[in-house]
Amino acid sequence: MPKWKKDAKEFTVSVTFHVVRGYAATIPKPVMEHLAKPTRITFHLRRGKVEVRAAH
């Protein structure tokens, strides 16, 4: 498991594909902590960009 630098602002992760479940990626720990460890994450497609919203 990679360890991220304390001041890192960019995180690159691999994406895998499973025929039944679809795509999957691991969310880096610093990102989850920044989002206050949500129980759900919603992705919004807007104007060619992706917004991420965390729900608790």
Side-chain angles (χ1 to χ4, degrees), residues 2-45:
K3 290 189 177 186
W4 308 101
K5 292 182 181 180
K6 191 170 186 114
D7 60 345
K9 301 291 182 207
E10 184 174 297
F11 305 92
T12 302
V13 298
S14 61
V15 178
T16 59
F17 178 73
H18 186 275
V19 177
V20 176
R21 294 183 296 225
Y23 293 93
T26 301
I27 302 168
K29 187 175 179 180
V31 173
M32 290 299 286
E33 290 173 349
H34 182 77
L35 295 172
K37 297 183 182 176
T39 56
R40 294 176 298 159
I41 297 174
T42 303
F43 298 93
H44 293 273
L45 304 178

